[in-house]
């Protein structure tokens, strides 16, 4: 695949439209991780173990994957808005359920609906950003979409942690604020001037595992090879991070838990801006290396009972996810026709989120049986192997030319 050109971020009306179009992506992703620092509150009031906590987290990824099986296809066929408007509305419903949750079942349902909203936004929202960018600013569109995702994912837990400690209603206020953000996102979606959908593939199945245009298959494969270990590592921090802080490091402050997730995703966003001018091959290899370093540092933090090392592990995990995501989206946007773009984005995310659901869930129940240190160490070893394998795939498939 040809080496993509560098991004020139210019303050033009077109560039501003691209960044504005990324706002709904960010607003929905604020909800994706907002519950993270609140799990300790719900665990006290409702009562559940680390295994049940990761099962609640997995409900979110289950909803996300269900949406990815439909949203990309529907978005490419009927348009971005018919997918994005219901997605934002579902996110608002999820906020109401979170704010009133009194059982594990209600939490799981709220997480499931949030996952559907995020899955639809990943497919249609990111494709909408690329549509508005046009051919000349596709690299900028990939950066805007990816950074909006990680900034939203990081802002949610930080806001939740601060508001739950400083305001009454520790599990309510953040979701009231998020409803306001989502309402503004809904307005932004309605006002988007998007091209008409290409209905040439109308005979194809509506619900299926996302398929990738032949021109983009290598791009998706390379993205998954690095993005999957990276997002699985960050999913561990989001799902079991509060348990690690509470049980091993004796820290129950919700601002600390929220800040840990925030710095992780801040690193994911920052590294994308820093890496935007490098070839995709170099970005992907650096992402895999960052995930390996993250999991190594995680093991050290557990055995040393060090919050500082845990924070370093979170930052490195965020960098690994960010570079895997940026590399994958950049390569996809450069190689996949616009009419198949949302489905290709969905395929990348399916490949990433399946292990992000299964492996932390497994680690949670293994931790219930063997202890948090043993379960987390086993998870870290699996992630190191996966990240090294991903680096090997990238190196082998891009040996002759950078993607």
């Amino acid at each position: 695949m040809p080496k993509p050109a560098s991004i020139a971020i210019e303050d033009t009306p077109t560039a501003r439209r691209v960044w504005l179009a990324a706002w709904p992506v960010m607003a929905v992703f604020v909800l994706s991780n907002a519950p993270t620092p609140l799990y300790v509150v719900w665990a006290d009031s409702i009562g559940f173990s680390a295994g049940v906590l990761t099962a609640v987290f997995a409900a979110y990824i289950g909803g996300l994957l269900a949406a990815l099986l439909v949203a990309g296809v529907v978005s490419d066929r009927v348009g971005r808005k018919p997918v994005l408007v219901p997605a934002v509305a579902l996110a608002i419903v999820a906020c109401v359920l979170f704010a009133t949750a009194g059982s594990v079942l209600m939490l799981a349902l709220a997480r499931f609906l949030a996952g559907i909203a995020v899955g639809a936004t990943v497919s249609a929202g990111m494709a909408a950003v690329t549509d508005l960018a046009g051919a000349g600013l596709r690299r900028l569109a990939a950066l805007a979409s990816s950074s909006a995702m990680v900034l939203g994912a990081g802002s949610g837990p930080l806001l939740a942690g601060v508001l739950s400690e400083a305001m009454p209603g520790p599990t309510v206020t953040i979701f009231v604020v998020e409803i306001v953000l989502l309402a503004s996102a809904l307005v932004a979606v309605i006002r988007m001037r998007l091209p008409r959908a290409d209905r040439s593939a109308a005979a194809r199945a509506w619900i299926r595992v996302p398929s990738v245009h032949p021109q983009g298959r290598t791009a998706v494969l390379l993205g998954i090879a690095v993005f999957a270990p990276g997002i699985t590592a960050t999913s561990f921090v989001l799902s079991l991070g509060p348990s690690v802080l509470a049980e091993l490091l004796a820290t129950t402050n919700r601002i600390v838990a929220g800040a840990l997730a925030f710095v992780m995703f801040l690193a994911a966003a920052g590294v994308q801006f820093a890496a935007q001018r490098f070839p995709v091959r170099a970005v992907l290899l650096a992402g895999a290396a960052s995930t390996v370093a993250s999991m190594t540092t995680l093991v050290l933090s557990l055995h040393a009972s060090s919050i500082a090392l845990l924070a370093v592990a979170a930052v490195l995990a965020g960098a690994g996810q960010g570079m895997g995501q940026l590399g994958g989206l950049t390569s996809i946007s450069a190689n996949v026709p616009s009419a198949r773009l949302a489905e290709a984005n969905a395929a990348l995310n399916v490949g990433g989120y399946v292990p992000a659901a299964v492996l932390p869930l497994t680690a949670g129940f293994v931790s219930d049986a063997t202890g948090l240190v043993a379960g987390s160490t086993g998870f870290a070893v699996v992630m190191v192997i996966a990240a090294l394998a991903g680096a090997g795939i990238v190196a082998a498939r891009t040996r002759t030319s950078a993607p």
Side-chain angles (χ1 to χ4, degrees), residues 13 32 53-54 93-94 124 150 166 172 203 232 234 255 277 286 295 298 304 318 325 330 349 384:
S32 67
L53 190 156
T54 52
V93 173
V150 293
V172 175
T232 303
T234 59
I255 296 178
R277 297 186 182 276
M295 294 296 94
L298 172 64
Q325 184 179 356
T330 301
N349 283 280
V384 167

Side-chain angles (χ1 to χ4, degrees), residues 308-385:
L309 285 176
L310 182 62
V312 172
V315 168
L316 290 169
Q321 175 188 330
M323 286 187 278
Q325 184 179 356
L326 177 65
L329 287 174
T330 301
S331 193
I332 287 170
S333 66
N335 291 280
V336 177
S338 179
R340 298 290 300 279
L341 193 58
E343 195 169 2
N345 288 345
L348 173 68
N349 283 280
V350 167
Y353 278 103
V354 166
V358 173
L359 294 177
L361 177 62
T362 302
F365 283 105
V366 170
S367 297
D368 284 346
T370 65
L372 201 51
V373 171
S376 301
T377 300
F379 171 85
V381 170
V382 172
M383 284 299 94
V384 167
I385 294 171

Side-chain angles (χ1 to χ4, degrees), residues 219-314:
V220 172
L221 172 64
L222 298 180
I224 290 173
V226 178
F227 177 56
I231 197 169
T232 303
T234 59
S235 294
F236 174 88
V237 175
L238 292 169
S239 58
L240 285 178
S243 297
V244 171
L245 287 170
E247 294 184 26
L248 300 182
L249 307 181
T251 301
T252 58
N253 188 288
R254 296 185 290 278
I255 296 178
V256 174
L260 184 68
F262 176 74
V263 297
M264 180 172 70
F265 285 108
L266 185 64
V271 76
Q272 293 181 52
F273 284 92
Q276 61 181 293
R277 297 186 182 276
F278 290 95
V280 172
R281 181 179 191 271
V283 172
L284 290 173
L285 290 174
S290 185
T291 300
V292 171
S294 167
M295 294 296 94
T296 303
T297 308
L298 172 64
V299 173
L300 293 175
S301 73
L302 295 172
H303 290 273
S305 298
S306 170
I307 294 179
L309 285 176
L310 182 62
V312 172

Side-chain angles (χ1 to χ4, degrees), residues 18-386:
V18 171
W19 287 104
L20 181 61
W23 166 243
V25 176
M26 181 173 175
V28 172
F29 268 90
V30 168
L31 177 62
S32 67
N33 296 323
T36 296
L38 307 180
Y39 286 134
V40 291
V41 180
W42 284 314
D44 287 341
S45 61
I46 300 173
F48 48 77
S49 67
V52 173
L53 190 156
T54 52
V56 171
F57 185 83
Y60 159 77
I61 297 183
L64 187 150
L65 292 174
L68 291 175
L69 295 176
V70 180
V73 179
V74 175
S75 173
D76 283 339
R77 190 176 300 179
V78 304
R80 314 306 184 199
K81 287 186 182 181
V83 174
L84 285 172
V85 170
V88 176
L90 273 182
I92 292 173
V93 173
C95 286
V96 174
L97 291 177
F98 276 125
T100 58
S103 67
V104 171
L105 181 61
M106 189 173 289
L107 280 178
L109 178 59
R111 288 295 280 165
F112 182 74
L113 294 180
I116 293 176
V118 168
T121 302
V122 161
S123 300
M126 291 184 171
V129 176
T130 302
D131 289 344
L132 287 171
L137 290 176
R138 283 204 162 195
R139 287 270 288 181
L140 175 61
L143 176 64
S145 297
S146 191
S147 59
M149 171 181 169
V150 293
L151 283 172
S155 299
L158 180 63
L159 281 172
V162 171
L163 292 175
S164 68
E165 292 282 358
M167 303 290 289
T171 60
V172 175
T173 308
I174 177 58
F175 299 109
V176 174
V177 172
E178 171 62 353
I179 287 172
V180 175
L181 299 180
L182 289 169
S184 71
L186 189 59
V187 172
V189 169
I190 293 170
R191 296 185 64 182
M192 285 182 186
R193 296 180 179 179
L194 294 166
R196 290 187 177 183
D198 182 353
R199 301 176 186 270
S200 60
R204 304 177 71 203
W206 287 83
I207 301 175
R208 65 178 185 271
V209 175
S211 62
V212 181
H213 191 278
Q215 291 178 231
R217 287 173 184 167
T218 298
V220 172
L221 172 64
L222 298 180
I224 290 173
V226 178
F227 177 56
I231 197 169
T232 303
T234 59
S235 294
F236 174 88
V237 175
L238 292 169
S239 58
L240 285 178
S243 297
V244 171
L245 287 170
E247 294 184 26
L248 300 182
L249 307 181
T251 301
T252 58
N253 188 288
R254 296 185 290 278
I255 296 178
V256 174
L260 184 68
F262 176 74
V263 297
M264 180 172 70
F265 285 108
L266 185 64
V271 76
Q272 293 181 52
F273 284 92
Q276 61 181 293
R277 297 186 182 276
F278 290 95
V280 172
R281 181 179 191 271
V283 172
L284 290 173
L285 290 174
S290 185
T291 300
V292 171
S294 167
M295 294 296 94
T296 303
T297 308
L298 172 64
V299 173
L300 293 175
S301 73
L302 295 172
H303 290 273
S305 298
S306 170
I307 294 179
L309 285 176
L310 182 62
V312 172
V315 168
L316 290 169
Q321 175 188 330
M323 286 187 278
Q325 184 179 356
L326 177 65
L329 287 174
T330 301
S331 193
I332 287 170
S333 66
N335 291 280
V336 177
S338 179
R340 298 290 300 279
L341 193 58
E343 195 169 2
N345 288 345
L348 173 68
N349 283 280
V350 167
Y353 278 103
V354 166
V358 173
L359 294 177
L361 177 62
T362 302
F365 283 105
V366 170
S367 297
D368 284 346
T370 65
L372 201 51
V373 171
S376 301
T377 300
F379 171 85
V381 170
V382 172
M383 284 299 94
V384 167
I385 294 171

